[in-house]
Amino acid sequence: MRLFCKLIVSLMALVAVGCSEVEPVVVHSLTLSEGGVVFDSEGGQKSVVVTPFPEDMAWSLVVAEPKEWYGVEVEGTSVVVTVSPNTQAIERTALFEIVSPTGVFDTKVVTVSQEAGRVQGSIATSAAESYEFDSMGGDYTFTVYAEDEWSVECSADWISIETADSVVTLSAAENSLGEQRSATVSVKSGAQSVDIAVSQQTHSQNGYLKLLGQWEITATKWFYSPNGSLNELDYNPNQKDYYLIFKMEQGEYGKTLIMKDFLYPGTTLEVEYDSQSGGIVIPFGWTVLSYDVFLYITLINSNKFSFASLEVAATPSEDYLTLTLVMPAVAGFDYVGFGLWTYNDNGDKIAFGYRLQPTMFPMGRIVFRKYTN
C-alpha cells in the first residue's frame, strides 16, 4: 500500500512538470468598424475604429496611392478619414490599408468613395446642334435643362427670342434679302454654354416653293383605254394634251399643295408636302370631281384591269426639275400606274372615258417633269 501511494505521487509530479513546459497559443485578430466609408459630394469626416486582439497588438496605417481630395490619420484606436467637396461630375474612389508590422494578421483594406459633384452652371437643351429656317420664316422651340439660372442670346438681330419657364422659342421673319443668313444662339449658365447654329434659306432654296408651277406627266409606257377594257394598243400621246399637264399650287404652307387638272380638267387634289424628302405624297383613291370621278392606282396584268387606293410618294431630284413616283410593287401584276374611274349607268365603277374623254394609263416608271414655273 505504501509503495502504491509513492507511485501516485511520482506520477502527479511528472504531470505537473510536463504542463509547466507547454506554451499557450494566442490567435491574433483585428476587427474594423467599417469595411468602407461613403461620402456625399459635400465631403466631411468619418472614423473607422480598429479593435485588435490582444488589445496591445500593434497595427499601422498604409496609404498606397495618396490623393489630394482625401486624407487619413490615426487618432487613438481609430483611423479618421477626411474628404473634400467634389466639384467634378464623376465619382471618386480610393483605399487605405491596416497592416501588421509583424505579419500576425492579414492586411485589412478599407475603400473610400464619394458621389459625383454637381457642376456649377451645368446646362443642356433639347435643341439640335443646328437648325435651318425656310425662307418664309417660322418658329423653333426647344427646352432648357439647368439647375442654376440661365440666359439665352443670339449673334444676329434677325432672330427674335422668347422664353417661358424652361422653354425657348426662336422666331424668324421671311427672308427677302436674296441671300442665306446665319447666326449662333447661345444658352448659358455660369461658365457653361450650349451653342446652336441657326440659318435661313432664300426663296430660291425653298423646296416647298420650288414645287409650285406646271408639271408634265411622263412614263416609260402609255396604255390607251377608250372604254375601260384591256387591249394591247400602246399610245404616244401629244405632249400638250391637257391630261398630261397639271398645275401645282400652294395649299397650307409647308404642309399641303393643290394639284389642279391632274389627268382631267377640273380635278382638284390636295396632296401632303413631305418636309423630310422635299416631295409630295399623293392619296390615290379619292373623289376628285363633284360627279364621282375617282383617282385610283391602276393594276394591269395579262388579262384584266384592277384598281386600289394607296398613298404614293413622289421624290424630287436635287434640282427640283423632276418628281419620281415610287410606285408600289403588287404581286401578280405586270404594271402599276394610275388613272381615273367613274360609275356607269348601272352603278358599276369603270375606267373614266366610258361616255366622256378616253383615259390613258401611264405604266412603268412615272416621272413628273417641271413644265413651267
Side-chain angles (χ1 to χ4, degrees):
M1 182 67 176
R2 184 176 297 174
L3 178 60
F4 178 76
C5 290
K6 288 182 178 180
L7 289 171
I8 294 296
V9 171
S10 298
L11 288 170
M12 292 177 64
L14 288 170
V15 171
V17 172
C19 290
S20 64
E21 292 178 353
V22 177
E23 293 292 334
V25 177
V26 178
V27 179
H28 298 81
S29 64
L30 192 70
T31 304
L32 304 182
S33 62
E34 305 286 344
V37 285
V38 180
F39 292 84
D40 60 23
S41 62
E42 299 299 321
Q45 275 191 345
K46 291 186 179 181
S47 295
V48 178
V49 178
V50 182
T51 304
F53 179 83
E55 293 182 1
D56 59 351
M57 183 180 68
W59 56 272
S60 61
L61 171 67
V62 174
V63 180
E65 297 181 359
K67 297 182 184 293
E68 294 182 354
W69 57 271
Y70 90 108
V72 289
E73 60 180 350
V74 177
E75 292 185 3
T77 60
S78 299
V79 176
V80 179
V81 184
T82 304
V83 173
S84 63
N86 188 359
T87 59
Q88 299 178 353
I90 57 173
E91 295 182 355
R92 304 195 289 198
T93 59
L95 58 86
F96 62 87
E97 299 174 343
I98 306 297
V99 301
S100 167
T102 58
V104 295
F105 63 85
D106 293 334
T107 299
K108 303 290 184 179
V109 179
V110 181
T111 59
V112 180
S113 59
Q114 185 180 27
E115 68 179 11
R118 183 177 67 84
V119 178
Q120 189 72 19
S122 61
I123 190 169
T125 75
S126 64
E129 292 183 359
S130 62
Y131 180 79
E132 183 181 57
F133 288 95
D134 69 28
S135 63
M136 300 301 291
D139 299 328
Y140 179 58
T141 299
F142 60 88
T143 303
V144 177
Y145 307 98
E147 296 183 358
D148 302 304
E149 291 186 0
W150 55 275
S151 61
V152 58
E153 58 187 40
C154 183
S155 63
D157 58 7
W158 61 270
I159 292 287
S160 61
I161 301 172
E162 290 187 3
T163 60
D165 296 326
S166 60
V167 177
V168 176
T169 300
L170 308 179
S171 299
E174 180 180 356
N175 182 9
S176 57
L177 299 178
E179 62 183 21
Q180 191 174 23
R181 50 189 182 181
S182 60
T184 300
V185 174
S186 300
V187 185
K188 299 180 178 181
S189 179
Q192 306 296 312
S193 177
V194 176
D195 292 337
I196 305 162
V198 182
S199 60
Q200 186 176 26
Q201 60 187 203
T202 64
H203 285 318
S204 63
Q205 296 171 319
N206 189 322
Y208 180 90
L209 298 181
K210 288 180 180 181
L211 293 176
L212 304 182
Q214 283 189 309
W215 293 80
E216 174 188 358
I217 307 172
T218 65
T220 55
K221 179 181 179 181
W222 292 91
F223 192 87
Y224 179 66
S225 175
N227 57 11
S229 61
L230 183 64
N231 58 54
E232 299 298 329
L233 178 63
D234 289 340
Y235 183 65
N236 295 316
N238 181 349
Q239 295 299 305
K240 296 187 180 301
D241 284 346
Y242 57 77
Y243 36 72
L244 293 180
I245 304 298
F246 69 92
K247 182 180 292 186
M248 194 92 76
E249 296 184 350
Q250 182 171 322
E252 182 180 359
Y253 177 76
K255 295 183 178 180
T256 64
L257 295 112
I258 305 300
M259 295 171 62
K260 286 190 173 181
D261 300 330
F262 184 61
L263 295 180
Y264 193 79
T267 59
T268 300
L269 182 66
E270 185 177 40
V271 299
E272 176 186 347
Y273 174 65
D274 185 349
S275 59
Q276 295 298 316
S277 69
I280 58 176
V281 179
I282 306 172
F284 289 97
W286 293 75
T287 300
V288 292
L289 287 173
S290 59
Y291 45 90
D292 289 333
V293 174
F294 292 87
L295 178 65
Y296 272 94
I297 290 290
T298 59
L299 311 174
I300 299 180
N301 61 17
S302 59
N303 54 31
K304 68 175 183 178
F305 275 119
S306 185
F307 53 87
S309 301
L310 296 170
E311 289 187 341
V312 175
T315 304
S317 59
E318 188 173 349
D319 57 9
Y320 274 81
L321 294 180
T322 64
L323 282 166
T324 301
L325 272 66
V326 183
M327 304 300 289
V330 181
F333 289 87
D334 300 323
Y335 300 103
V336 179
F338 52 75
L340 292 175
W341 297 73
T342 187
Y343 292 112
N344 63 12
D345 295 335
N346 298 323
D348 301 319
K349 198 169 294 182
I350 60 172
F352 192 62
Y354 182 69
R355 291 176 301 175
L356 303 171
Q357 180 70 28
T359 300
M360 293 191 319
F361 295 106
M363 301 300 159
R365 187 166 182 258
I366 301 168
V367 177
F368 299 160
R369 298 189 185 278
K370 200 66 178 288
Y371 191 71
T372 61
N373 291 321

